[in-house]
Amino acid sequence: MTTEADAGPTLEPLARLSLSTAAARNLATTTKSAPQMRGISSRWLLRQLPWTQVSGGTYRVNRRLSLAVGRGRVGFVQAGADNVRIIPETLREIPVLRGFHDDTLLAELADRFTVRDFRGGEVIVERGRPVEEVYIIAHGRVERISTGKYGDEEKTLGVLADGDHLGDEALLQSEPHWSATARAATAGTLMVLPWTAFLDLFQRSDGLREHIGGFLANSSRKVNSKGEVEVAVAAGHEGEAEIPGSFVDYDLAPREYELSLTQTVLRMHSRVADLYNDPMNQLEEQLRLTVQEIRERQEWELLNNRDFGLLHNADYDQRINTWSGPPTPDDMDELLSMRRGTDLFLAHPKAISAFFRECTKRGLYPDATEVDGHRVPAWRGVPIFPCGKIPITDGHTSSILAMRTGEDDQGVIGLHQTGIPDEYEPSLNVRFMGIDDKAIIRYLVTAYYSVAILVQDAVGILENVDVAAPRS
């Protein structure tokens, strides 16, 4: 016999003594947030660039005439470990072939290069030896090394990496000899062309001889340290010395930047626009998030667009490689030394982290500075801004940009046009496109922008920055 106290738990629901919260919510007004967006970043590049009004939609950069021909990067295609070929058109990145128009001869020249592998520590060329081959680095890192004034110690003059080349400067010497030793820092692959093979093509092609003759003629003209045509001036003279006359020549083919654009069509059903605007205006919220996405893409284009983006249009003479892989204080100092003034660094957050690791190893602590009310890291007083739109290639290498900004300082400037029809934000407009047969309202949202480098040394890039953390 069991008692009431011994009975197990009952399955009957308990009687509710008050209104449930689930039912009460049917009569309550909820408190809502505005629509949130994860993809919004700090967009420091857009915030730090000074913006110049471009009323005609095109901005022309007039420069002093320069005869210096920059060294570009040769490109390759690879079909296998032992099948590496030069893209013939990219041989124009070698100064002596810049502007050469015979694609057939370039293809023949590319076919004459052979593949050669090298090991880390191997000496590829030795200082003082005759130049007998031209080298293009397909993959790997090579250090240029010289000795001190008294031959007592080795000094590293620079680092060469994928696409860089050695030996073409022999054309400027009557008896060409290597001016520095080239030693491999890592294993890699070279493309090698015997100097005799190049001379054979030179003798057979009238066009190549004419082109190189013009190159050598320009190389013999007097230029300043930046490659600009020299202006003759006199200094330190006494009495009635004859003063030279001169003039400043201009580049006859200055670069012009046309405003680029980012567009999208925003669509919304008329019923949504009519009935669901309390407490938040649906169109305003849709526009707010759409504009944020357009601004994100705008910053990406300013960095990565092949026509005008900073990563692709920085002068090759303003690009350097890291000395050892990770970004070190020495690398950042060299990047700073390449221009007369630097206003900011721009780097992927992982690159900034890698730089801090190198500083920690050396017992250094980067300082910080205040920008627009934010504390940001700095090096030598120059702020380092994070930018996730700088790509990381091969999973572990990135770049760090250093730039001088402003039109008055001959730096980098953003280009836009304000006062356009139906302007919603500066240089961004929203235009009504009508309502279709399905009652869909359409708006065209457009942002116009570009970026210009006024003088070549306004932007410098530290390339092949290894951002991978070492294994402990």
Side-chain angles (χ1 to χ4, degrees):
M1 176 176 177
T2 59
T3 63
E4 185 177 351
D6 297 329
T10 178
L11 297 179
E12 296 180 1
L14 297 175
R16 187 175 299 280
L17 301 178
S18 65
L19 183 68
S20 69
T21 56
R25 287 184 60 192
N26 292 329
L27 301 183
T29 299
T30 60
T31 301
K32 310 172 186 64
S33 74
Q36 306 298 300
M37 179 176 172
R38 185 178 179 181
I40 298 175
S41 67
S42 54
R43 297 200 294 265
W44 280 110
L45 178 60
L46 296 187
R47 293 160 63 179
Q48 294 302 308
L49 276 182
W51 292 89
T52 297
Q53 171 74 357
V54 182
S55 299
T58 302
Y59 186 88
R60 177 182 297 161
V61 179
N62 287 309
R63 290 174 175 168
R64 184 173 164 183
L65 180 62
S66 176
L67 296 178
V69 182
R71 304 181 70 82
R73 302 284 173 81
V74 176
F76 305 88
V77 291
Q78 185 169 355
D82 299 321
N83 188 3
V84 181
R85 292 182 291 110
I86 294 174
I87 301 174
E89 294 77 11
T90 64
L91 287 174
R92 295 190 178 97
E93 298 298 333
I94 300 175
V96 71
L97 295 176
R98 183 67 56 85
F100 185 61
H101 299 295
D102 191 341
D103 290 340
T104 302
L105 192 66
L106 288 178
E108 184 178 352
L109 183 61
D111 288 339
R112 295 196 176 200
F113 280 85
T114 58
V115 179
R116 181 187 300 173
D117 292 329
F118 58 86
R119 303 181 306 276
E122 179 181 342
V123 174
I124 297 172
V125 299
E126 191 172 347
R127 181 175 180 268
R129 299 293 298 273
V131 177
E132 297 177 346
E133 294 175 318
V134 176
Y135 301 97
I136 301 177
I137 303 171
H139 179 68
R141 291 165 54 87
V142 175
E143 296 176 340
R144 293 183 67 246
I145 299 170
S146 186
T147 56
K149 179 178 180 180
Y150 303 104
D152 52 346
E153 99 181 273
E154 288 188 345
K155 298 181 181 297
T156 302
L157 304 179
V159 179
L160 305 175
D162 303 7
D164 286 325
H165 26 88
L166 293 163
D168 55 287
E169 62 272 20
L171 282 171
L172 303 177
Q173 307 172 31
S174 57
E175 295 183 0
H177 290 76
W178 293 108
S179 59
T181 298
R183 185 168 63 197
T186 67
T189 303
L190 286 174
M191 303 298 291
V192 183
L193 175 71
W195 191 243
T196 54
F198 178 81
L199 292 179
D200 177 58
L201 287 178
F202 178 80
Q203 296 296 333
R204 290 198 294 107
S205 172
D206 294 336
L208 183 59
R209 286 199 303 274
E210 181 180 349
H211 176 82
I212 292 179
F215 172 81
L216 295 176
N218 282 335
S219 300
S220 64
R221 294 180 62 181
K222 292 184 178 180
V223 296
N224 62 16
S225 61
K226 303 297 183 182
E228 298 168 329
V229 176
E230 188 177 75
V231 175
V233 297
H237 50 277
E238 297 180 358
E240 299 179 351
E242 182 176 351
I243 300 175
S246 187
F247 65 95
V248 180
D249 206 354
Y250 300 138
D251 186 353
L252 295 180
R255 177 164 183 180
E256 293 185 347
Y257 294 85
E258 293 185 0
L259 292 185
S260 184
L261 77 166
T262 296
Q263 288 182 312
T264 189
V265 176
L266 175 60
R267 292 189 287 264
M268 176 182 291
H269 199 284
S270 60
R271 181 170 59 180
V272 173
D274 292 341
L275 302 179
Y276 300 96
N277 284 325
D278 187 29
M280 300 177 191
N281 185 289
Q282 294 285 353
L283 176 59
E284 287 298 321
E285 294 301 324
Q286 288 284 304
L287 278 175
R288 180 176 65 84
L289 297 182
T290 300
V291 169
Q292 292 283 356
E293 188 62 39
I294 285 178
R295 293 303 191 193
E296 292 290 332
R297 182 54 186 258
Q298 175 181 345
E299 187 174 58
W300 188 95
E301 293 286 330
L302 293 181
L303 287 166
N304 297 284
N305 187 285
R306 297 198 67 85
D307 291 332
F308 59 85
L310 297 176
L311 287 171
H312 294 285
N313 287 267
D315 195 86
Y316 281 107
D317 290 337
Q318 295 297 315
R319 300 169 184 259
I320 58 174
N321 284 281
T322 59
W323 292 99
S324 59
T328 65
D330 295 335
D331 295 322
M332 298 292 274
D333 285 342
E334 184 176 3
L335 194 58
L336 277 176
S337 70
M338 295 167 64
R339 66 201 49 76
R340 54 184 166 82
T342 302
D343 294 322
L344 61 96
F345 291 108
L346 206 64
H348 193 282
K350 289 187 176 181
I352 297 176
S353 178
F355 174 60
F356 286 171
R357 285 196 298 270
E358 294 302 311
C359 289
T360 302
K361 290 179 182 179
R362 293 161 173 78
L364 301 175
Y365 300 92
D367 53 359
T369 186
E370 187 167 320
V371 179
D372 299 336
H374 297 270
R375 295 285 290 176
V376 297
W379 180 250
R380 308 294 190 192
V382 179
I384 307 174
F385 293 110
C387 181
K389 299 176 184 68
I390 298 176
I392 294 180
T393 57
D394 300 326
H396 64 91
T397 57
S398 186
S399 300
I400 297 177
L401 285 83
M403 66 181 75
R404 182 177 67 248
T405 60
E407 201 166 18
D408 293 338
D409 210 13
Q410 300 183 97
V412 180
I413 58 173
L415 307 177
H416 69 178
Q417 182 175 331
T418 59
I420 57 179
D422 301 316
E423 191 169 55
Y424 184 78
E425 288 186 357
S427 201
L428 183 148
N429 63 1
V430 180
R431 312 201 75 174
F432 177 66
M433 296 178 64
I435 305 175
D436 64 16
D437 294 339
K438 296 182 180 180
I440 303 296
I441 308 173
R442 295 179 300 150
Y443 297 89
L444 178 64
V445 187
T446 308
Y448 297 97
Y449 55 86
S450 189
V451 63
I453 303 171
L454 299 186
V455 175
Q456 290 92 329
D457 71 348
V459 175
I461 301 180
L462 179 64
E463 296 186 311
N464 296 318
V465 172
D466 193 344
V467 301
R471 297 181 63 183
S472 57

